[in-house]
Amino acid sequence: MFEKVIYNRLYHHINNNQILVNEQFGFRHASSTDIASYKLTKNIRTALNNKLLVGGIFYDLHKAFECVNYDILLSKMEFHGISGKTNNLIKSYLQNRYQTVLVDLDSIKYYSEWESVIDGVPQGSILGPLLFLLYVNDLPNVISDISNPVLYADDTSLIITNSDSQMFEKDINAAILQLNRWFHSNLLLLNLEKTYFLQFLTKNTNATDLHISY
């Protein structure tokens, strides 16, 4: 109940001050995966109709919620006006947590040693998703000048367009570089096995020969 009260106060502050970026569709009221998908496909169709080269970079993060750094999160919250006692309250909520692993083998339960949790928002909590949205809230600003980003929590999709093939390749690699720098500085790990680049084509266009570096 207490966590729900904190959530409502935080969301009220965030909503009233329009803190969350429009590119974020995850864990928000009046938003859904359908709306995020519509925005993504609309950007692609519009570019194709304008006869532009269109590419999509689809990022997946490795255990994103578990990699949230507390100092970085609290600093970002303070930047958005969540400071003083409220910031200290969130700090106490996050810190000094412990976890253990239970293995049930043939009806015999085995427990690991208790270990302190030093990173990550609490999984399955009321506050966890909202805190994560604040953590990644500045991500679109890094690449919005060269792409149309769409975020759904930790899933990041970039749509890059250009009429010139050389500039198209340059923008793609620039977006990848800038985004990788942001992930590194925010201590988030990229899952390369689930990260893809895809060029979108019409029946009358061919794929562009691109040299892309992740």
Side-chain angles (χ1 to χ4, degrees):
M1 184 180 295
F2 185 57
E3 189 175 349
K4 184 68 174 178
V5 171
I6 298 173
Y7 173 91
N8 288 336
R9 295 289 182 90
L10 280 179
Y11 195 85
H12 179 76
H13 171 80
I14 291 168
N15 194 47
N16 279 3
N17 292 282
Q18 299 180 341
I19 290 173
L20 293 182
V21 292
N22 293 328
E23 293 87 352
Q24 177 61 261
F25 294 88
F27 303 114
R28 303 182 68 174
H29 300 326
S31 186
S32 66
T33 53
D34 290 339
I35 297 175
S37 298
Y38 172 77
K39 176 69 179 296
L40 193 66
T41 54
K42 181 182 178 182
N43 290 338
I44 296 168
R45 289 198 307 269
T46 300
L48 290 175
N49 288 337
N50 290 329
K51 302 185 183 305
L52 298 175
L53 297 169
V54 186
I57 308 173
F58 304 93
Y59 279 92
D60 184 78
L61 295 175
H62 180 69
K63 298 182 178 180
F65 282 67
E66 299 175 26
C67 294
V68 171
N69 179 271
Y70 297 153
D71 291 335
I72 295 175
L73 172 61
L74 293 169
S75 176
K76 291 185 178 186
M77 294 180 70
E78 189 164 3
F79 174 80
H80 290 303
I82 307 169
S83 56
K85 293 181 179 179
T86 305
N87 196 281
N88 289 332
L89 178 62
I90 299 300
K91 182 178 180 179
S92 68
Y93 167 79
L94 293 170
Q95 293 182 339
N96 298 319
R97 287 178 174 268
Y98 290 82
Q99 66 180 17
T100 185
V101 176
L102 165 64
V103 177
D104 194 339
L105 185 62
D106 295 330
S107 300
I108 301 176
K109 295 182 179 180
Y110 300 90
Y111 294 87
S112 69
E113 297 292 332
W114 285 95
E115 296 288 344
S116 61
V117 179
I118 59 174
D119 291 306
V121 293
Q123 298 288 318
S125 65
I126 296 172
L127 276 175
L130 184 60
L131 296 178
F132 184 82
L133 295 190
L134 289 171
Y135 195 78
V136 299
N137 194 54
D138 58 319
L139 188 155
N141 296 332
V142 176
I143 33 78
S144 59
D145 59 328
I146 53 177
S147 69
N148 292 314
V150 174
L151 280 69
Y152 193 90
D154 58 326
D155 290 327
T156 304
S157 303
L158 307 181
I159 299 301
I160 298 170
T161 64
N162 207 298
S163 58
D164 180 80
S165 59
Q166 291 185 339
M167 290 302 299
F168 182 54
E169 180 181 299
K170 182 180 178 181
D171 287 346
I172 292 169
N173 284 303
I176 291 172
L177 178 61
Q178 292 178 23
L179 208 53
N180 285 348
R181 285 175 176 172
W182 187 92
F183 289 143
H184 179 74
S185 63
N186 286 274
L187 306 180
L188 295 174
L189 301 176
L190 187 63
N191 187 344
L192 289 176
E193 293 183 357
K194 295 183 179 180
T195 295
Y196 301 96
F197 169 80
L198 179 65
Q199 184 176 355
F200 296 94
L201 307 169
T202 65
K203 292 186 293 185
N204 300 319
T205 58
N206 297 319
T208 308
D209 185 20
L210 301 170
H211 297 87
I212 301 172
S213 174
Y214 289 104

